[in-house]
Amino acid sequence: MDSITAAWVNDYLDLYNYARSIGDSEWEKEIIASLKNKNLLAEYRRNMILRDLWKSYDMINRQLLEVFAELRSSAESNREETLQDRWFQLKLERIHVARKILSYQ
């Protein structure tokens, strides 16, 4: 069981225990049904993975902006080459993450 699945199951078990402690048998049944529903878990996993991928994509975009700002102000040709290499690497990373995002949608 991976960490996403474990977290989801633990959250639902906590809710189940709470429902039991307050005597809400209808809610208990709903929680048990949710735990048995594989589609619900798959949707949760997909959403968590997509959320993390979008965070990575945003982080890469911020780094690209930083490198771009440095490139604009860089007067040293040696430093400019390093920044251009970094720019290219970040663009490749962004393409890789974008492909993963598209595969999950």
Side-chain angles (χ1 to χ4, degrees), residues 24 36-37 41 53 60 74 78 82 93 95 100:
D24 192 337
K36 290 180 180 179
N37 185 345
L41 175 58
L53 286 170
I60 292 167
S74 177
N78 190 23
T82 303
E93 284 180 43
I95 290 168
K100 283 186 174 181

Side-chain angles (χ1 to χ4, degrees), residues 52-67:
D52 290 344
L53 286 170
W54 277 112
K55 282 183 181 178
S56 294
Y57 190 85
D58 290 342
M59 181 190 67
I60 292 167
N61 278 338
R62 281 191 298 278
Q63 290 174 349
L64 279 167
L65 289 172
E66 290 170 6
V67 170

